[in-house]
Structures are given as C-alpha cells and as structure tokens.
C-alpha cells in the first residue's frame, strides 16, 4: 500500500500529494497503484468520462476493475484542482478538472486520511466537438457582400423543411415534455440533427392538461432548463401553465425541430440499415423516420395505471384517472371518492374541498408526507435556494455536489434530515396519526427523495391538503376497492362510499411499458425495468444497481435510450446522454464498461 506523507497537512497539500500519485498511476496505466490510493470503503462515480456509461464502482477492487478495462482507451490524465480544497470534519474536498483521450471533464474528490472516499468524474465536452458558446458563440451576422446570402431564418426554415423528409435525423426523441426538450436543446448545441415528436398540439401541453391547481412541488432553483435560466422574478413554485408557456418559448428560441401533433405509432430496428424505422403520424399523415438512435422521453408520469374494478361499467357517475382530472370546478356540492393517497390524490382532494365538494380519500397503503416549507428548508436549501446561490452554490454547482454523493450511501445523508423534519413537525404528524392516516418515512427512514429515486412514488409534498385529512374535512377511508355499484365505491371490508365522481389517483406505470407499446414486448423485456436503484426496498427489488436502471445510459438494446425524470434530472443528465449520442454520431469509439444486466422486466 502507498503510504501517506505525514508532513502533508493543508487540504491543498493533501490533495496535491494525492493527485500527484493518482496522475502518475494513470500515466503509467497502473490500475493497481491507482486503486491503492482509495480507501477500503470507497466509491468512484463515473458519468461517461471513462466508462461511456453511468457507473459507480465500489472498493479498491471495483476501481481496479474499472481502470483495468478503461485506462488504455480512455487515458484519463491531468487531474488538477480548480479551486482551493477545503477540509471539514476530517474530510478534504476538492473540485477537479481532467482530460481523457477524447474529452474534458469535471470532477469532485473527497479524501479521508489521505485516501479517496468518493470520486466523481463527469464528462463535460468532447474534444473537437465543443459547443459553440461563450467566446466560440456563432457570429449571427454575416458581414460583407454575398449575393448568395441567406438569412438565419431562411437557413432555419430550410433545415426544418428538409429534416425528416429529404434528410434523416441522427436522433429521434419520442416525447416532447421537459425531458425531450432539454435533451433536444443539448443535441442542437452539439450539432446532432434531432427531431422531437409529441402527440400534443403544443409544447407544454403535458402541463396544461393537468389539473388546474397544480404548481411544481420543487422550487425554481431546482427547475432551470439547460442554457436558459428562469428570470429572477419567476415564482418559487411555478404554476403549471407558466411552466407550459416556458417550455413552448424555450422550444422556439432554442430552435428545436419539434414536431407537435405527431404520434409515434411503431418502431423497429433495421439491422441491415443500422437505423430505426420509426413510424409517425403527423397531423394525420403517416411517415417513416430513420434515425440511428432512438430516445424514449415519454415520461415516468405519463402512462397512467388505470385500475380495473368490477362494477366500473355500472357506475352511473363520472370516473377518471387523476391524469384526466380537469380540476374541481364542475364538482361543487358533489360526492367525490379519490382512490389513492399520494401527491395527485392530495392535490386533487384539496382543490375539490375548496369548491365545496364532499371528498373522501381512500388510502390503500401508507404514504410519506413532508411539509413543503420543511422540505425546502431542511432538505433542499443548502443546495437549491436563493441563499445557496448567494453562497456561490449555483444550480450547476449544486447538481455536481448532488451527483458526487454515491447512491449507495445517499440514504445515510438523508436519514438525519428526515429525523429533523419529524422533530420540527411533530404536532403535524401526531394529528395525522390520530386521524388514522397511515404514514411512513420510507423503509429505512430515508424519506422522500430516496422514495423518488427508488420507486418514483409513495409520497406527498404537503402544500396544505394534509391538514384537511388530519382534521376530517376530507374524509379518510382505508383498504382496497372491491367493486363499484351504481352510485358507490365499495371497499374490501364492505364500507360503502357514495360517489358522483371517482378519481383514480393510482399513479403511473414503468417507462418500460412505452417500449412495449412502441417497439415490442420482446424489446421491452430485453431492456428490463426502467428506474430504481435495486435497493431491495418496497417496489425497488434488488440486486443493487448503483445507478438508476436504464436511465440516460446504454441499455441492453443498442441505440435505444431512456430519458426523463424531474426537472433537475432532465437538466443534469441530458448532458451525459447528449454526449453519448454525439460521440456515436461522429464515430468516436464508445466502449461501454459495466453495461447493467437485466434482473427484472416491466
Ligand atoms: C401531478 C403531477 C405533478 C408533478 N409535479 C412535478 C414537479 O413539481 N416537479 C417535477 O420535476 N416533476 C413533477 N412531476 C413529474 C412530471 O411528470 C415530470 O417531471 C415531467 O412531466 C416529466 O417530463 P417528461 O418530459 O419526462 O415527461 P412528460 O412531461 O410526461 O412528457 C412525455 C411526453 O411524451 C409524449 N408521448 C408519449 N408517447 C408518445 C408517442 N407514442 N408519440 C408521441 N408523443 C408521445 C406525451 O404526449 C408527453 O407529452 C409531476 C407529475 C405529475 C403527474
């Protein structure tokens, strides 16, 4: 084992000494020597820089294996600090830059007792394919005399007319919500011809169509899109129609080739041509697109779980999934049963109560609730808030800090935060419990964010409706729905809940289902489950994956990719997916290290 120089003291010196040895080991292509610099319990998270994958390896043996397989091709080198390293509680932290054979990256290092505990390496750009930004921005104007002159607009119109007709896109993105839009913007800056198709008439309609009281649950600092930040006077919690308009504006000014009113109806991979055949119906006319890469950005909250109960056909009132719920206005004075007790259920119950409906929530399993203000203060403020920005933690910096925490140990950081939340809002939880509400903190007490990453469901960020349940203004019933009668929902224990309207706030299916719909069940099964970490907690079966299943990285089906998540994830991970797609578009070798195996279908 390498010994650590006892004379070395300041964080700068500790990091300097470590980097010197690390760089020397990398230059010598010596995986053993590099692995020796890592602590017994350690994590190296690589975002595309060495592995052409999103991959976290653990322990010196994991580091050794990754380097053994990647050093010769990736040739990582010249790791150096970009600012003064810091030290707190025996942990030395440093922000890094480095190079690989094909790109430049950014990194973050945590050293404990002179050895690496966590290392993040993230590709930022490909050499020779840098974005035209900053000092490399396009001139726009073309000075001089040019009889062949075509304006920016003429060139743009020409491109839009040709792409998908006389020329083929390199990438087709199915789904033009915030995910598809952010990725398309990145690809545009990287000069990768891309078409986004969405069945809606206008960008942003995904949000316009949701119930009218909806505002984002995440604050503005968490929600920026790539390249264009929300202005300083933008509301903290964006109302849904404002987000919709922002997405529409963004699509236009970022000059995306966005085909609205276009449904992708089928896709198959043509092995001989090395391209997909994607059939789309645009404004009623079918045509075939032949991209080399296909991205499904069809939304993790896009495929409604439509429950089926006996008696739905005899129920005389109205019934719909929460995704089709228009808002409360038509239901003043009506009896409404909302099946479910997560975010949508609470939002919908709250809005219905406000207009004077008689509302009953049916809780089928326990839910985790955190009050919005508490979550913002304890859970997010250090990274995403006005205060964080004032402290120099920009959204980009926050994204990297967040990315530097390996998923394996993330819950350990989350648990104490949720203990604080529990303490702060003790009265609130006591009241909910007294009302009979079944509340949980996640299988291991790690709360909302881990639930989101593991299963994408099972929580409510309280903006007021929880109080309605706690004090009985929204009635609470428990159990599974057994059947519907002409005018009631009947639960398994025989409880009858009279209803004029039934809202099924029963969540959304796996994104994998989109692949089955569009391509085939066989391909969907080959891809396997999408989302989750393999934490072996409820709805996230093991084995441990280390990264989110199949998201933003190569899948077992070549040239098929999944993109999406919340606004933070769409912003951050769209860069890595765009770089992977760009590399393939220009023929850069992309040997993937550690392609995830499939353990679960659907
Ligand atoms: C009630 C509710 C509240 C939410 N609140 C937040 C929040 O506060 N913050 C947050 O970050 N996220 C929130 N989410 C999650 C939200 O769904 C996602 O953040 C966001 O919509 C995901 O964006 P996306 O682009 O991945 O998918 P979507 O916005 O779902 O977009 C997918 C698109 O794919 C299109 N599509 C699907 N299949 C096809 C096809 N075959 N052909 C053409 N088009 C197709 C659909 O028309 C749709 O426009 C919320 C979700 C819901 C339901």
């Amino acid at each position: 084992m390498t010994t650590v120089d006892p004379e070395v003291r300041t964080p700068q010196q500790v990091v300097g000494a470590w980097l010197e040895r690390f760089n020397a080991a990398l230059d010598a292509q010596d995986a053993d020597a590099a692995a020796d610099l890592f602590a017994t319990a350690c994590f190296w998270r690589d975002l595309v820089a060495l592995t052409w994958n999103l991959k976290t390896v653990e322990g010196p043996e994991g580091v050794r294996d990754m380097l053994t397989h990647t050093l010769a091709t990736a040739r990582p080198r010249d790791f150096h600090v970009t600012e003064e390293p810091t030290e707190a509680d025996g942990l030395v932290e440093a922000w890094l830059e480095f190079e690989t054979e094909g790109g430049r990256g950014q990194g973050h290092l945590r050293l404990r007792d002179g050895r690496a505990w966590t290392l993040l390496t993230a590709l930022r750009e490909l050499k020779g394919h840098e974005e035209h930004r900053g000092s490399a921005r396009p001139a726009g104007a073309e000075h001089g005399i040019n009889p062949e002159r075509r304006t920016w607009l003429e060139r743009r119109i020409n491109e839009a007319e040709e792409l998908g007709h006389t020329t083929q896109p390199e990438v087709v993105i199915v789904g033009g919500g915030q995910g598809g839009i952010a990725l398309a913007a990145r690809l545009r800056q990287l000069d990768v011809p891309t078409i986004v198709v969405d069945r809606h008439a206008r960008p942003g309609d995904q949000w316009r169509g949701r119930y009218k009281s909806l505002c984002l649950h995440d604050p503005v600092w968490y929600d920026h899109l790539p390249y264009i930040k929300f202005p300083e006077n933008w509301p903290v919690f964006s109302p849904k129609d404002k987000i919709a308009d922002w997405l529409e504006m963004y699509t236009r000014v970022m000059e995306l080739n966005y085909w609205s009113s276009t449904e992708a109806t089928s896709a198959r991979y043509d092995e001989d041509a090395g391209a997909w055949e994607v059939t789309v119906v645009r404004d009623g006319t079918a045509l075939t697109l032949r991209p080399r890469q296909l991205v499904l950005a069809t939304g993790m909250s896009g495929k409604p779980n439509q429950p089926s109960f006996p008696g739905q056909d005899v129920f005389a009132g109205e019934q719909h999934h929460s995704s089709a719920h228009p808002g409360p206005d038509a239901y003043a004075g009506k009896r409404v049963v909302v099946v479910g007790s997560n975010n949508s259920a609470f939002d919908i119950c709250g809005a219905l109560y406000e207009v004077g409906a008689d509302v009953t929530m049916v809780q089928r399993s326990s839910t985790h609730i955190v009050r919005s203000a508490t979550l913002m203060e304890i859970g997010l403020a250090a990274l995403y808030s006005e205060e964080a920005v004032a402290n120099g933690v920009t959204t980009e910096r926050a994204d990297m800090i967040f990315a530097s925490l390996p998923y394996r140990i993330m819950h350990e950081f989350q648990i104490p935060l949720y203990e604080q939340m529990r303490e702060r809002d003790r009265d609130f939880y006591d009241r909910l419990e007294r009302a009979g509400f079944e509340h949980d903190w996640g299988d291991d007490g790690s709360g909302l964010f881990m639930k989101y990453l593991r299963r994408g469901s099972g929580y409510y960020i309280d903006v007021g409706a929880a109080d309605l349940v706690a004090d009985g203004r929204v009635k609470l019933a428990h159990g599974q729905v057994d059947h519907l009668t002409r005018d009631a929902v009947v639960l398994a224990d025989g409880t009858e809940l009279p209803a004029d309207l039934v809202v099924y706030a029963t969540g959304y299916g796996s994104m994998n289902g989109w692949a089955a719909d569009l391509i085939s069940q066989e391909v969907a099964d080959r891809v396997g489950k999408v989302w989750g970490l393999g934490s072996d907690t409820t709805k996230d079966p093991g084995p441990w994956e280390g990264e989110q299943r199949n998201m933003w990285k190569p899948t077992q089906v070549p040239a098929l990719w999944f993109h999406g998540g919340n606004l933070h994830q769409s912003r951050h991970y769209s860069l890595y997916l765009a770089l992977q797609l760009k590399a393939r578009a220009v023929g850069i070798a992309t040997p993937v290290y550690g392609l995830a195996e499939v353990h679960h279908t659907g």
Side-chain angles (χ1 to χ4, degrees):
M1 270 215 161
T2 325
T3 50
V4 176
D5 186 348
E7 295 302 309
V8 170
R9 280 209 181 78
T10 68
Q12 180 87 29
Q13 287 170 322
V14 172
V15 172
W18 192 89
L19 288 179
E20 201 180 311
R21 289 178 179 143
F22 188 56
N23 281 321
L26 298 179
D27 289 345
Q29 304 266 305
D30 188 342
D32 289 324
D36 256 5
L37 295 167
F38 285 74
T40 314
C42 71
F43 307 88
W44 182 341
R45 183 168 196 226
D46 183 63
L47 305 179
V48 184
L50 279 74
T51 58
W52 290 107
N53 197 355
L54 307 188
K55 181 78 189 162
T56 302
V57 293
E58 299 184 11
E61 63 293 345
V63 171
R64 189 176 301 115
D65 189 70
M66 180 175 85
L67 288 177
T68 302
H69 288 92
T70 57
L71 270 178
T73 48
R75 303 188 67 84
R77 53 188 180 259
D78 192 23
F79 280 78
H80 56 272
V81 297
T82 54
E83 56 193 82
E84 186 97 359
T86 57
E87 180 165 15
D89 303 326
L91 212 56
V92 175
E93 292 194 40
W95 288 98
L96 310 172
E97 277 175 357
F98 62 95
E99 271 187 48
T100 63
E101 193 60 7
R104 294 180 199 88
Q106 198 186 348
H108 183 270
L109 173 68
R110 289 187 185 87
L111 295 176
R112 189 182 269 153
D113 299 328
R115 291 183 198 284
W117 175 46
T118 68
L119 176 60
L120 168 71
T121 46
L123 188 66
R124 296 234 66 84
E125 60 185 3
L126 295 166
K127 289 178 188 167
H129 304 284
E130 294 81 2
E131 291 187 10
H132 311 290
R133 63 200 296 183
S135 55
R137 69 174 77 229
E142 192 194 325
H143 296 164
I145 305 301
N146 178 3
E148 308 294 316
R149 179 185 298 276
R150 287 190 311 151
T151 66
W152 184 288
L153 178 63
E154 284 164 343
R155 278 183 278 134
R156 173 79 193 104
I157 290 172
N158 190 43
E159 177 203 347
E161 282 172 354
E162 287 180 0
L163 194 64
H165 301 285
T166 54
T167 61
Q168 283 302 318
E170 170 72 16
V171 179
V172 163
I173 302 173
V174 180
Q178 73 210 20
I181 287 173
L183 178 63
R186 299 254 192 215
L187 289 169
R188 170 126 211 127
Q189 300 312 308
L190 287 167
D191 297 326
V192 179
T194 300
I195 292 177
V196 185
V197 300
D198 199 294
R199 58 163 74 100
H200 288 302
R202 287 164 62 196
D205 277 354
Q206 312 77 12
W207 288 100
R208 288 190 191 91
R210 291 177 177 155
Y211 51 85
K212 74 172 201 175
S213 60
L214 178 64
C215 294
L216 290 195
H217 299 111
D218 300 320
V220 62
W221 308 277
Y222 192 78
D223 299 333
H224 296 299
L225 296 178
Y227 308 108
I228 308 179
K229 290 211 162 81
F230 293 108
E232 286 190 342
N233 56 358
W234 196 263
V236 174
F237 301 105
S238 186
K240 71 176 183 75
D241 297 284
K242 266 183 95 63
I243 273 289
D245 287 348
W246 186 261
L247 290 176
E248 190 169 19
M249 174 283 294
Y250 184 91
T251 303
R252 187 164 325 120
V253 299
M254 294 305 288
E255 302 182 318
L256 307 187
N257 292 299
Y258 191 102
W259 289 15
S260 46
S261 302
T262 304
E263 175 155 22
T265 53
S266 69
R268 65 171 277 275
Y269 194 70
D270 180 344
E271 295 282 349
D272 297 336
W276 289 92
E277 268 182 19
V278 185
T279 305
V280 303
V281 179
R282 188 182 194 190
D283 291 322
T285 306
L287 70 150
T288 304
L289 296 172
R290 298 177 201 282
R292 292 206 300 160
Q293 308 289 337
L294 179 63
V295 181
L296 299 190
T298 37
M300 61 177 291
S301 309
K303 207 171 166 50
N305 275 337
Q306 296 275 9
S308 154
F309 299 118
Q312 279 175 323
D313 51 340
V314 298
F315 180 68
E318 199 181 328
Q319 47 187 329
H320 49 235
H321 187 264
S322 57
S323 57
H325 181 66
D329 298 348
Y331 308 106
K334 303 275 191 215
R335 299 164 305 173
V336 185
V337 172
V338 177
V339 180
S341 55
N342 291 334
N343 257 325
S344 296
F346 271 98
D347 276 355
I348 289 170
C349 285
L352 285 164
Y353 174 83
E354 280 178 348
V355 301
D358 172 9
V359 190
T360 304
M361 173 186 281
V362 178
Q363 183 173 32
R364 301 174 305 156
S365 57
S366 76
T367 298
H368 168 50
I369 301 184
V370 183
R371 299 182 108 169
S372 175
T374 304
L375 182 64
M376 295 310 123
E377 239 172 81
I378 297 176
L380 276 177
L383 292 184
Y384 299 96
S385 66
E386 209 62 57
E387 196 190 346
V389 175
N391 290 335
V393 184
T394 59
T395 295
E396 293 74 18
R397 169 59 66 99
D399 288 353
M400 291 302 282
I401 295 172
F402 203 82
S404 74
L405 278 181
Y407 288 125
R408 173 76 92 175
I409 52 172
M410 196 175 274
H411 63 287
E412 294 172 17
F413 292 82
Q414 295 288 305
I415 290 168
L417 301 180
Y418 284 84
E419 282 168 354
Q420 277 181 56
M421 295 184 203
R422 187 196 308 238
E423 206 42 53
R424 172 175 151 149
D425 292 330
R426 184 166 288 285
D427 287 352
F428 168 77
Y429 292 111
D430 285 350
R431 278 192 293 119
L432 268 174
E433 208 170 286
R434 279 200 298 276
F437 191 83
E438 288 171 30
H439 182 262
D440 71 83
W441 293 88
D443 286 11
D444 53 4
S446 60
L448 190 137
F449 198 68
M450 294 314 300
K451 269 198 165 186
Y452 171 71
L453 292 172
R454 290 166 174 173
R455 52 181 279 192
S457 66
Y459 45 79
Y460 169 50
I461 300 175
D462 178 39
V463 291
D467 276 331
L468 298 176
V469 172
D471 63 20
R473 282 176 287 171
V474 165
K475 287 173 264 179
L476 185 62
H478 289 281
Q480 303 302 321
V481 174
D482 186 74
H483 65 278
L484 275 70
T485 63
R486 221 185 119 64
D487 59 358
V489 174
V490 184
L491 302 183
D493 66 358
T495 306
E496 268 199 39
L497 306 170
D500 304 303
L501 166 69
V502 182
V503 181
Y504 300 110
T506 41
Y508 297 85
S510 162
M511 277 199 271
N512 175 288
W514 292 109
D517 289 357
L518 195 65
I519 310 167
S520 68
Q521 190 60 53
E522 189 263 323
V523 165
D525 289 348
R526 258 204 289 152
V527 169
K529 189 171 165 66
V530 179
W531 204 261
L533 300 169
S535 61
D536 218 4
T537 56
T538 307
K539 296 195 178 178
D540 182 25
W544 180 249
E545 302 268 343
E547 294 287 333
Q548 296 238 260
R549 283 188 197 92
N550 282 318
M551 290 300 296
W552 316 291
K553 60 179 186 171
T555 68
Q556 287 286 347
V557 176
L560 179 63
W561 309 80
F562 290 82
H563 178 61
N566 64 27
L567 282 147
H568 151 81
Q569 292 171 309
S570 283
R571 169 183 65 247
H572 187 66
Y573 289 101
S574 55
L575 172 64
Y576 309 113
L577 178 48
L579 290 171
Q580 292 173 80
L581 294 167
K582 173 70 182 182
R584 284 161 175 84
V586 293
I588 293 172
T590 55
V592 174
Y593 170 76
L595 183 67
E597 285 172 36
V598 173
H599 299 283
H600 309 280
T601 53

